[in-house]
Amino acid sequence: MQPPFAGITRRPATAEATEADSAWITRVSAEPSNQQQSQAGSGPLDGLHFAVKDNIDVAGLPTTAGCSAFAYTPSEHAHVVERLLRAGARLAGKTNLDQFACGLNGTRSPYGPVPNALNPAYVSGGSSSGSAYVVAKGLADFSLGTDTAGSGRVPAGLNNIVGLKPTRGLISARGVVPAAQNVDCVSIFAMTVSTAAKVLQACIGYDEADPFSRRVTMASKPLPAKFRFGVPDTLEFFGDKLAEAAFTQSLEQLTGLGGTAVTINYAPLAQAAAMLYDSALVSQRYTAIQAFFDAHEEEVIEPVRSIIAKGRQYSAADYIRAEIDMLALSQVAGRMWQEIDVLFVPTAPTHYTIDQMQADPVALNRNLGQYTNFVNLFDYAALSVPSLMRPDGLPFGVTLIGPAGSDWQLADLGQRYHHATGLSLGATTRSLPEPAPIAALQAPATVRVAVVGAHLSGMSLNWQLTERDATLVEATHTAPDYRFFALANSQPPKPGLLRVEPGKGAAIALEIWEMPLTHYGSFVALIPAPLGIGTLTLADGSSVQGFVCEAQALTTATDITHLGGWRAYVNSLTHSTN
């Protein structure tokens, strides 16, 4: 048994609770005696307080999964909790959830519904409802949820916070009460992407005691500056015009960050999403708690009881057929990655009040999963980030989705997107801090090249740089040791740069561009003789790769050194014809 926590407050299963209390099932005091549970001052998460969804084990505290009859007190921390405490984080408590992590709305709990952090008349989203609420309200720096069908994303989108759903198996699920074990994963809520990414780094670790833990090859470079993002060919907002308008604005924002929208076939993704509850795959939910459910079915609340009981009706053959159908859909859906770098969807298509949800709990809950259910089934990574506040004061979030192992790429793009919104943090009035580098990403290898003629900004061949994701670094000059010529009979017109003896040349204007090294070879291949790439000395004495010219080609060229650069030469031609 781990050393006990001090100052524990446990809430009985009752719908009667204050708004803030409804998010918690067990609170833990921040007294110094609790710091024996962490390596305070010794890890990357030192000083951060966190909460865990109450289907994740914390030694000495009951794990209820939202059902008091199911509750047990573990003697060991869940693997992920142990890692967080070792990283210096401090536990604040365990949070309310849709019972047995079955739901996307936050109202399916005998401990009472968890309200939305910005408008308590509305749902918080589930099943990780309490974990999202305490972060949005600033009661915890980050929290753990779980995500099977969107429970780590929908509550983030509805509460104006970040929801990071990692690649399955990156974080061990040992010590987590499963919902559907072969598609579950532990998820992370935080105010900012950088905090969520820091927590993910602390959580990642192969665990041989978890049959679903795995070592994943992670993409280590950001997405290209110019990227393609997929948008479903059919979009459903269930009559919510404000959500529809919000997504249109979100598309414009992502385009402004360098993205190009590509329409993708959403049918196989939608078909997979439907199968999660409307096929033999739902038997996973029954299997997860079969012994308890068969003995205590009456202790499980509706509609959770009916959903889990539905899993009894399927045979092993039914389940195998469903798995084969899912693999076939995954193959079809996977073709989209040949055309796009990232998939972009609303986190949730609309927002319901608690009263609306309780009046029609199954259909409206299904609606909230319109853009989430397929992600774990297809082994994708996802990141939900805030996008804007709607005119009615409700938050609207968007989700970036990528193949397994794209977690750091999504974090990099998601942070850029989130910080471009200028939104406040969660349900607070605090402003976004400065963005922080995603430490796990390596900057792509680049090369700098100096251009002096038709490749300058606004000139006829500049597109050869920009289509290779090159960016302008600075405009400067060579050292005063070069002669500059306009080549004869070149189309489009081009200059030639020649190094000469000190005192016989001049400083020539140039631009320095930086491009990914992977594109450099194709750029150099476009350079026609007598031009080539050599080493240029700049005015400050440093060196850079740049355009040079063979000396014999300059015998018929016009010396334009006195003009100091190609742009001045082009301007002189224009003036001479006027």
Side-chain angles (χ1 to χ4, degrees):
M1 173 78 74
Q2 296 285 332
F5 288 91
I8 299 171
T9 304
R10 297 169 183 163
R11 190 159 70 83
T14 171
E16 300 299 323
T18 65
E19 179 187 329
D21 285 344
S22 69
W24 299 99
I25 291 179
T26 303
R27 295 293 302 270
V28 173
S29 168
E31 295 175 12
S33 59
N34 283 330
Q35 300 327 306
Q36 62 186 322
Q37 295 290 333
S38 73
Q39 304 295 320
S42 62
L45 304 182
D46 178 47
L48 297 183
H49 289 78
F50 73 105
V52 300
K53 185 176 180 177
D54 201 18
N55 62 342
I56 301 174
D57 287 349
V58 175
L61 301 183
T63 298
T64 71
C67 180
S68 57
F70 174 82
Y72 63 91
T73 300
S75 60
E76 294 183 355
H77 297 311
H79 186 270
V80 63
V81 172
E82 182 69 33
R83 291 186 71 91
L84 291 173
L85 293 172
R86 289 181 181 277
R90 303 177 183 183
L91 183 71
K94 305 191 73 179
T95 55
N96 199 359
L97 68 156
D98 283 334
Q99 192 175 69
F100 293 111
C102 188
L104 286 174
N105 62 80
T107 70
R108 297 175 175 178
S109 172
Y111 294 87
V114 178
N116 185 268
L118 287 90
N119 185 333
Y122 283 78
V123 299
S124 59
S127 60
S128 309
S129 51
S131 290
Y133 180 94
V134 298
V135 169
K137 284 291 192 179
L139 305 176
D141 297 300
F142 70 91
S143 64
L144 297 183
T146 59
D147 189 307
T148 304
S151 298
R153 291 160 279 154
V154 169
L158 299 186
N159 286 282
N160 194 41
I161 59 173
V162 170
L164 191 160
K165 189 221 76 67
T167 298
R168 289 191 289 109
L170 272 184
I171 300 176
S172 171
R174 176 162 55 92
V176 178
V177 178
Q181 195 168 7
N182 64 339
V183 289
D184 285 347
C185 66
V186 175
S187 64
I188 299 164
F189 296 105
M191 290 282 202
T192 65
V193 175
S194 62
T195 297
K198 186 190 299 185
V199 173
L200 177 60
Q201 277 192 294
C203 292
I204 290 176
Y206 178 72
D207 177 14
E208 63 181 12
D210 173 11
F212 294 95
S213 183
R214 57 180 174 159
R215 296 181 176 93
V216 179
T217 300
M218 304 286 281
S220 60
K221 297 178 181 179
L223 293 174
K226 301 294 183 182
F227 58 91
R228 302 161 300 167
F229 64 92
V231 181
D233 55 358
T234 57
L235 289 163
E236 176 62 73
F237 296 95
F238 302 99
D240 190 336
K241 296 299 183 183
L242 292 181
E244 186 174 2
F247 189 60
T248 298
Q249 289 180 248
S250 302
L251 292 172
E252 295 172 355
Q253 180 167 314
L254 192 59
T255 300
L257 293 177
T260 298
V262 176
T263 301
I264 61 103
N265 176 19
Y266 195 65
L269 287 75
Q271 291 171 36
M275 285 182 65
L276 190 62
Y277 290 106
D278 295 334
S279 78
L281 295 183
V282 75
S283 61
Q284 297 172 14
R285 300 224 173 227
Y286 171 61
T287 301
I289 58 167
Q290 181 177 357
F292 172 81
F293 191 78
D294 287 346
H296 304 281
E297 183 174 347
E298 71 284 353
E299 300 286 351
V300 181
I301 64 172
E302 288 291 359
V304 176
R305 183 192 311 157
S306 296
I307 293 169
I308 294 174
K310 186 179 178 181
R312 288 175 170 147
Q313 72 188 45
Y314 296 102
S315 69
D318 294 331
Y319 184 80
I320 295 298
R321 279 193 291 268
E323 286 283 9
I324 292 171
D325 290 344
M326 184 60 64
L327 288 171
L329 288 171
S330 179
Q331 294 275 42
V332 175
R335 296 170 190 163
M336 67 182 174
W337 300 118
Q338 299 172 17
E339 302 176 7
I340 63 174
D341 300 297
V342 65
L343 179 60
F344 187 64
V345 297
T347 297
T350 187
H351 208 152
Y352 296 115
T353 66
I354 292 175
D355 289 343
Q356 287 173 320
M357 182 61 65
Q358 291 179 330
D360 192 3
V362 175
L364 299 193
N365 184 85
R366 182 182 292 112
N367 292 351
L368 290 181
Q370 178 75 12
Y371 301 107
T372 60
N373 287 2
F374 65 87
V375 174
N376 279 342
L377 295 170
F378 286 168
D379 196 18
Y380 296 158
L383 177 71
S384 175
V385 293
S387 186
L388 55 82
M389 297 299 294
R390 300 167 19 148
D392 60 1
L394 294 173
F396 181 80
V398 293
T399 297
L400 301 164
I401 301 169
S406 64
D407 306 65
W408 302 128
Q409 293 180 323
L410 298 180
D412 178 69
L413 180 58
Q415 177 171 241
R416 290 199 290 131
Y417 185 97
H418 187 198
H419 283 259
T421 66
L423 290 168
S424 297
L425 296 173
T428 75
T429 58
R430 289 154 48 197
S431 300
L432 276 163
E434 288 297 314
I438 304 302
L441 279 181
Q442 301 171 3
T446 60
V447 61
R448 291 188 174 190
V449 59
V451 297
V452 294
H455 288 93
L456 293 166
S457 302
M459 295 293 182
S460 59
L461 295 181
N462 184 251
W463 62 271
Q464 293 181 351
L465 290 167
T466 57
E467 77 168 5
R468 288 168 172 78
D469 299 328
T471 56
L472 178 62
V473 176
E474 65 173 324
T476 184
H477 292 79
T478 67
D481 300 324
Y482 292 87
R483 304 297 298 179
F484 199 46
F485 301 83
L487 298 177
N489 303 317
S490 64
Q491 291 298 325
K494 302 179 187 70
L497 187 67
L498 181 68
R499 182 153 192 160
V500 294
E501 296 177 13
K504 294 187 177 182
I508 305 300
L510 55 78
E511 290 177 351
I512 298 176
W513 287 72
E514 187 168 35
M515 73 172 65
L517 184 59
T518 53
H519 297 326
Y520 188 55
S522 66
F523 176 70
V524 172
L526 296 174
I527 301 171
L531 301 177
I533 294 291
T535 301
L536 304 182
T537 302
L538 301 179
D540 63 2
S542 63
S543 298
V544 67
Q545 297 293 297
F547 280 81
V548 294
C549 187
E550 297 174 5
Q552 65 269 25
L554 302 178
T555 57
T556 59
T558 304
D559 191 326
I560 57 172
T561 306
H562 63 285
L563 294 173
W566 188 247
R567 206 179 298 277
Y569 169 70
V570 172
N571 289 339
S572 71
L573 296 178
T574 302
H575 293 150
S576 67
T577 59
N578 291 337

